[in-house]
Amino acid sequence: MKPIFILMILFLSENFLYAQKPVLHDLQDPKMHAGCYIDGKNNPVGNLSEEGGALFNLTGKDELFTAIKATKEYPEAYGNKVYKIYIKEIRSEKVEDSCIEEKVYSIKIIYRKKAYVYTKKGMCGC
């Protein structure tokens, strides 16, 4: 009985270590210019208009994710060797008397063959 208990603990701890949900951290240098951003606590968590792709911080440092093949459901997609990030706009409202649009995004992150879905607010500006 004791070996089964030990094996169960090892199995559960291994799944816990490998199945950690990715966290969208605030960008350290969001490179704010005209474009689209996904809101975070103090800074954006995503800059969708960075030249050559999008900027995200999933590991504690800002990383450039290059554009990858999107899907019908998620028309924007970015990736690197570890993560694939799919984004779709759920809702958009133009801010009165400005060129800013407030948006709500659905974000699907594929990490270790598992999908994690987030809903975040954001904005696009001119």
Side-chain angles (χ1 to χ4, degrees), residues 28-84:
Q28 294 167 4
D29 181 11
K31 301 182 192 253
M32 299 296 282
H33 49 73
C36 296
Y37 299 90
I38 298 171
D39 294 341
K41 291 179 184 168
N42 299 313
N43 278 334
V45 295
N47 174 342
L48 304 179
S49 46
E50 189 56 31
E51 192 170 317
L55 208 56
F56 290 98
N57 177 350
L58 292 167
T59 61
K61 65 178 185 173
D62 297 354
E63 293 181 68
L64 182 65
F65 287 72
T66 57
I68 61 173
K69 186 177 180 189
T71 66
K72 271 187 178 179
E73 186 180 1
Y74 288 89
E76 288 185 66
Y78 306 96
N80 66 10
K81 293 178 183 175
V82 180
Y83 299 96
K84 290 181 182 174

Side-chain angles (χ1 to χ4, degrees), residues 6 10-12 18-19 22 27 36 38 43 50 61 69 71 73 77-78 85-87 112 116 119-120 122 125:
I6 291 171
L10 287 174
F11 177 74
L12 291 174
Y18 289 112
L27 292 169
C36 296
I38 298 171
N43 278 334
E50 189 56 31
K61 65 178 185 173
K69 186 177 180 189
T71 66
E73 186 180 1
Y78 306 96
I85 302 172
Y86 296 91
I87 301 171
R112 297 189 187 231
Y116 302 91
T119 302
K120 293 263 188 195

